[in-house]
Amino acid sequence: MRRIFPILLAGFLLAALPSSCSAPSRGEEVSFTAMDTAMTGRFYGKDAKQAAEAYQQEIADLEQLWSKTISSSDVSRLNQSGSLKKEALDPRTVSLLRRSMEISELTGGSFDPVLGRLVSLWGIGTEQEQVPEADELVSASKESGAEHLSEKDGSFTLSGNAQLDLGGISKGAATDEIRQSLSGLSLDGYLLSLGGNIYVSGEKPDQSEWKIGISDPDGESAYLGYLSVSDCAVITSGDYERFFVRDGIRYHHILDRATGSPAQSGLRSVTVVSKDAALADALSTALFVVGAEKGLAFCGQQPDAEAVFVTDDGFVYLTDGLKECFTLTEEARYTIKDGEK
Ligand code: ADP
Ligand code: MG
């Protein structure tokens, strides 16, 4: 959680900036910690208070289903038993598992929901963080990959010792679930921020734009630029979010199953914009693994995925759909590069 707060702050403060000529209602705000992350929400409209309560409650429910550290969660029970009937799982978990397998296939395995062995071995963000031995990496890599998860004869099954890790998609999937619950309420607009995984919907009372900050990976500023968007998720994965440094090398939390180690794709962060928050979350992780060149080509083929890539040599690449919506503020240290990488 080291750098999650600044992203959240940047996103939330920018999004919350009032217009200069009016004093809009501040709406209903809520802040809490869940899923190991600081979460906030802001809601405008008749049912704003009810929406804020529903948001917090639904996150708490989903955490009980999807947390790897709660032993009674659906994810933990599947990891412990290796196979569970569909009826033994909450329908929201069934959807999440199917979605995870689908996006893994879409990304050629760069998004890997069955990375549990490797994630535990590295222990990044835990007291047990370590650089594993090469043979340990080989065996944990063999037990990773979505091909180890199947849905057959009404059951979900993990083969061998494979373990689920849905950390790369669950906050996005939670956003989609919450949006569905909010759809029955009378709201003019809202912003959800699940640890920097943002969704903006509708309008603020003064009709000013939602502005979502893109975190500065170096941390010299809170953000390097911002996106002016609405009715979409804006979700970032970066190498500065969870990491440890050993012998001068930064080991971060986004793993490349091909090597078993933190991805080295020349990127500091990827931000994905999509109406589909689960897709945006999973893709931000997957595109970080593949890098800017393949990532730009991939997004070009997708009907609902735009992205901002920030490279380790100070360049910012944008997909066509974001060129009009992005404003670079850290112009001295970052340069927008056009076209193909
Ligand atoms: P965060 O959830 O910290 O905002 P991400 O959405 O990028 O960041 O997800 C990173 C998490 O996803 C890791 O902590 C790990 O649990 C899991 N993960 C790491 N690498 C991958 C990968 N290649 N595919 C799917 N999940 C991954
Ligand atoms: Mg993700």
Side-chain angles (χ1 to χ4, degrees), residues 69-275:
T69 52
I70 297 175
S71 64
S72 58
S73 76
D74 281 359
V75 168
S76 296
R77 289 188 303 112
L78 189 48
N79 276 341
Q80 285 150 22
S81 68
S83 186
L84 283 178
K85 287 261 171 232
K86 203 175 73 182
E87 291 70 32
L89 296 165
D90 188 279
R92 291 168 290 185
T93 309
V94 170
S95 302
L96 176 58
L97 291 172
R98 288 180 180 154
R99 206 68 221 289
S100 299
M101 289 192 275
E102 191 185 295
I103 299 176
S104 184
E105 199 175 327
L106 180 73
T107 59
S110 300
F111 173 75
D112 180 358
V114 191
L115 209 68
R117 289 276 166 217
L118 277 171
V119 170
S120 307
L121 189 59
W122 282 94
I124 293 166
T126 73
E127 309 252 294
Q128 285 78 43
E129 50 197 20
Q130 59 159 349
V131 181
E133 299 295 333
D135 58 334
E136 296 176 305
L137 283 178
V138 171
S139 74
S141 293
K142 281 189 191 145
E143 291 175 334
S144 299
E147 65 274 19
H148 292 283
L149 173 64
S150 60
E151 181 184 4
K152 246 186 273 155
D153 305 327
S155 293
F156 286 93
T157 302
L158 286 162
S159 63
N161 292 317
Q163 297 276 284
L164 290 173
D165 184 305
L166 303 177
I169 188 171
S170 50
K171 290 200 284 288
T175 303
D176 289 330
E177 293 292 346
I178 289 151
R179 279 185 27 75
Q180 229 174 317
S181 305
L182 298 181
S183 64
L185 299 180
S186 173
L187 294 169
D188 300 327
Y190 60 82
L191 175 145
L192 308 172
S193 175
L194 288 72
N197 289 235
I198 289 172
Y199 201 103
V200 279
S201 172
E203 286 184 336
K204 290 187 271 177
D206 63 358
Q207 272 111 46
S208 61
E209 291 176 314
W210 298 106
K211 292 179 180 173
I212 310 301
I214 306 289
S215 204
D216 176 1
D218 288 333
E220 283 187 33
S221 303
Y223 52 90
L224 60 81
Y226 61 86
L227 287 165
S228 305
V229 288
S230 191
D231 297 314
C232 58
V234 180
I235 298 187
T236 300
S237 289
D239 71 355
Y240 50 84
E241 290 172 326
R242 292 173 204 243
F243 64 92
F244 67 94
V245 178
R246 195 72 31 97
D247 300 327
I249 300 171
R250 173 197 292 255
Y251 297 97
H252 62 79
H253 73 324
I254 303 169
L255 303 177
D256 181 351
R257 191 206 156 196
T259 60
S261 295
Q264 289 182 312
S265 57
L267 290 176
R268 298 300 314 274
S269 75
V270 180
T271 300
V272 177
V273 177
S274 170
K275 291 194 183 309

